[in-house]
Amino acid sequence: MRKRDLGILLLAAFAIFFSLQHEGEFSFKEAWFHLSDEYPIKYEAERLPPPIVADLNGDGKKEVLVATHDAKIQVLEPQSRHVDEGFTEARVLAEVSLLPDKIRISSGRHPVAMAAGVVDRSYKHGEIKKQVLVVVTSGWSVMCFDHNLKKLWENNLQEDFPHGAHHREIAISISNYTLKHGDDGLIIVGGRMEMQHHVCCLLIFIIF
């Protein structure tokens, strides 16, 4: 064996030994928590969408957006503390109700999917990019909010579904790509629904 090959072999062995010695050198420390009302989930449709992390107002700080069982979306500010100081409760920066403004009925307003993203492509280099929040409810209402949780628009897709169908999966895609001149962006909502006799369908909606 040549000295060069032996040197490469020893270097590789040392690299493997070093990586194994430093593998897993991370730990989880107490940071923050958020208390929410616990509701017994009887049906899969009652499950809330997972929280999302986004910088809505573009200030460089991430917020955590969570959905609640009383048809609300809350924006949390995680409190940063020093290591070993324990948990601290996250501060609620803002919240918005998904219930209608005039008639406060909760039927069909349960949040089932949400996503945040940028739709405006007119930003210049170095300019703050503010995001929008899109929420889909169990009644197939699609709502769009700005970075201050002000509702920009709402569109109901219920009439496009067969009678008796209920959702199984919902996905939201937010993009600043435009299909028509003058549009601010593009929001795509895809859903898999289940009808009677366990017949599943896949529908995709494009909202400008």
Side-chain angles (χ1 to χ4, degrees), residues 112-155:
V112 294
M114 60 181 182
V118 178
V119 295
D120 193 354
R121 61 167 51 188
S122 62
Y123 288 103
K124 299 179 181 179
H125 179 71
E127 191 176 3
I128 296 176
K129 292 185 178 181
K130 298 179 180 180
Q131 302 187 31
V132 298
L133 172 67
V134 177
V135 181
V136 180
T137 69
S138 56
W140 282 104
S141 289
V142 182
M143 288 175 278
C144 183
F145 302 89
D146 67 3
H147 61 282
N148 290 320
L149 295 188
K150 177 183 177 181
K151 186 191 292 186
L152 300 176
W153 52 262
E154 177 177 348
N155 193 352

Side-chain angles (χ1 to χ4, degrees), residues 85-136:
E85 286 189 2
F87 285 107
T88 183
E89 187 171 4
R91 185 163 66 98
V92 179
L93 294 177
E95 68 176 19
V96 62
S97 176
L98 303 180
L99 301 181
D101 297 331
K102 297 181 180 180
I103 305 176
R104 310 298 286 183
I105 55 176
S106 59
S107 177
R109 310 298 287 195
H110 178 80
V112 294
M114 60 181 182
V118 178
V119 295
D120 193 354
R121 61 167 51 188
S122 62
Y123 288 103
K124 299 179 181 179
H125 179 71
E127 191 176 3
I128 296 176
K129 292 185 178 181
K130 298 179 180 180
Q131 302 187 31
V132 298
L133 172 67
V134 177
V135 181
V136 180

